[in-house]
Amino acid sequence: MGDICLAGERLQEAERYHREGLELRRQLWEEARSLEAKRFLAVSCEKMAQVYGRTARADEALECYEESLELFQQLAQEAGTAESHDDLASIYYEISLLLPTRTGRRMRKEACRIWERLAQACPDAPQYAYKLRMARK
């Protein structure tokens, strides 16, 4: 529901749904401590960051992105799957859009580096080459 509200510019509702989802995912993480629970929490942090970004709360967005980034870095290291590395690259890219600074440019380069590796390692998965092209624009 939060994504639907966000897409429809119903930002207060989107924030409420994503905040509730984040609280539930934190509880799940505390109980389960599984890779799946960690990914759910990372995605929920990312969703809250998107809401904050859309409501001109850059500091709060960055805080949520940083938490999501830390979790996705752990997942990429622990799971080592193409999906986990793609998630990590996506967060680097989203942060780069929020930060029009040297740090943002560094984040975009890191996203591109990961997608380039994925495109080479997974030639049958064209989404990585596509994301790389889009990020380089």
Side-chain angles (χ1 to χ4, degrees):
M1 283 300 294
D3 288 343
I4 293 169
C5 291
L6 192 60
E9 295 297 319
R10 297 183 346 239
L11 301 177
Q12 287 180 329
E13 286 179 80
E15 182 173 348
R16 182 173 49 93
Y17 282 118
H18 284 305
R19 185 178 310 285
E20 289 171 4
L22 179 58
E23 290 170 12
L24 290 171
R25 299 280 169 66
R26 285 193 196 286
Q27 289 173 4
L28 176 64
W29 168 242
E30 289 302 319
E31 293 168 10
R33 295 287 177 168
S34 66
L35 291 178
E36 184 178 43
K38 185 180 283 190
R39 185 174 188 283
F40 286 153
L41 178 56
V43 169
S44 286
C45 291
E46 175 186 13
K47 298 292 184 183
M48 278 306 303
Q50 292 168 351
V51 170
Y52 288 140
R54 294 279 291 279
T55 56
R57 294 184 279 176
D59 289 343
E60 291 165 289
L62 187 57
E63 189 175 308
C64 286
Y65 274 132
E66 287 172 346
E67 183 176 358
S68 185
L69 175 63
E70 183 177 328
L71 292 165
F72 278 129
Q73 286 172 329
Q74 292 169 11
L75 282 164
Q77 198 168 36
E78 293 165 7
T81 64
E83 179 187 38
S84 65
H85 286 275
D86 181 42
D87 287 338
L88 179 59
S90 294
I91 289 299
Y92 277 124
Y93 183 71
E94 287 185 47
I95 294 171
S96 79
L97 298 175
L98 186 67
L99 298 174
T101 62
R102 186 180 325 192
T103 300
R105 289 189 298 277
R106 197 171 65 245
M107 295 285 187
R108 184 179 297 237
K109 282 182 183 179
E110 184 61 21
C112 288
R113 187 184 67 74
I114 294 169
W115 280 324
E116 186 171 22
R117 269 197 343 252
L118 288 171
Q120 290 171 356
C122 307
D124 294 336
Q127 68 269 26
Y128 305 129
Y130 173 77
K131 290 177 181 182
L132 177 61
R133 278 195 311 275
M134 296 306 292
R136 286 184 170 161
K137 285 187 175 187

